[in-house]
Amino acid sequence: MWLRQVIRYFLRGALLAAPLGLTLYIILMVLSAVDRLLPFGIPGLGLLVTLTLITLVGIFTSNVVGRSVFERTERFFNRVPLVKLLYTSIKDLIGAFVGDRKSFHRPVAVRIAKESTLRLLGFVTRDGLHALGMPTHVAVYLPQSYNFAGNLIVVPADQVEELDVSSSELMTFLVSGGVSGLGVGQSLLPPPPR
């Protein structure tokens, strides 16, 4: 009887400690890798150097000369084939979450077929795909669970339903495989009619 309770406590502790521990471990590994690159043996100096460098880049690119240097570097990156693919993909992905051009701000449910009750959850990233000859279609990005990948599907706009949830809640729900976000512990189904 008491052994069962101890095992239950252990499992509960493991479920809480594992994500926290792994997150801290990854952060420490990254910081120690930066520390090893520096010629000084001061622990934590890598974090300070990283934060300082990022701030200096922000200061440098806030004036005309810095912005010009940055734009030339960006043009160079855009001319080199493999570098262009990598740079623009990373830039667009970061820009989709923060900045002026947020792309993941329209959470939707997509019907696979008009008569289907099956839904895929994602984000509308473009309306009216005229360049593809599909003016009545939209582009929907479907993130994958436990992965930094996803799929882009093109569907008729009338098969897309806007969802009344925040983008961050839906992204948490999708990336966690439905385990986190969107009222964990509550039913996702609407209440039955009275």
Side-chain angles (χ1 to χ4, degrees):
M1 179 88 142
W2 65 270
L3 183 59
R4 201 176 291 157
Q5 187 67 26
V6 170
I7 292 171
R8 195 174 304 136
Y9 284 143
F10 175 79
L11 292 175
R12 181 180 297 157
L15 287 173
L16 294 172
L20 181 64
L22 284 172
T23 302
L24 290 173
Y25 177 75
I26 290 169
I27 290 171
L28 289 174
M29 291 299 292
V30 169
L31 292 179
S32 66
V34 174
D35 282 344
R36 282 193 302 271
L37 294 174
L38 300 173
F40 313 105
I42 303 171
L45 186 62
L47 174 64
L48 183 62
V49 168
T50 303
L51 294 175
T52 303
L53 284 174
I54 291 171
T55 304
L56 288 175
V57 168
I59 292 169
F60 181 68
T61 57
S62 63
N63 64 45
V64 176
V65 174
R67 207 171 308 121
S68 174
V69 170
F70 176 76
E71 288 170 359
R72 285 184 189 163
T73 305
E74 193 171 43
R75 278 197 300 272
F76 173 74
F77 281 2
N78 284 327
R79 286 191 200 130
V80 181
L82 187 58
V83 174
K84 177 183 178 180
L85 175 66
L86 186 62
Y87 176 72
T88 56
S89 297
I90 292 171
K91 181 181 173 188
D92 290 344
L93 181 63
I94 291 171
F97 288 101
V98 295
D100 299 333
R101 294 180 36 189
K102 289 183 188 169
S103 300
F104 298 136
H105 64 282
R106 290 179 53 199
V108 295
V110 179
R111 279 181 286 142
I112 299 304
K114 286 189 179 189
E115 55 284 334
S116 175
T117 58
L118 178 69
R119 302 286 191 271
L120 298 174
L121 301 176
F123 301 89
V124 171
T125 56
R126 281 228 186 138
D127 290 306
L129 302 172
H130 298 281
L132 296 174
M134 297 184 238
T136 62
H137 286 63
V138 295
V140 178
Y141 178 72
L142 308 171
Q144 293 178 357
S145 301
Y146 299 105
N147 199 348
F148 290 107
N151 295 304
L152 179 70
I153 62 171
V154 176
V155 294
D158 64 351
Q159 287 182 222
V160 174
E161 306 165 28
E162 298 274 340
L163 296 175
D164 188 24
V165 297
S166 73
S167 297
S168 60
E169 283 250 12
L170 184 64
M171 185 63 82
T172 301
F173 182 73
L174 292 170
V175 171
S176 72
V179 175
S180 300
L182 294 178
V184 171
Q186 302 171 6
S187 173
L188 294 175
L189 300 173
R194 294 181 189 185

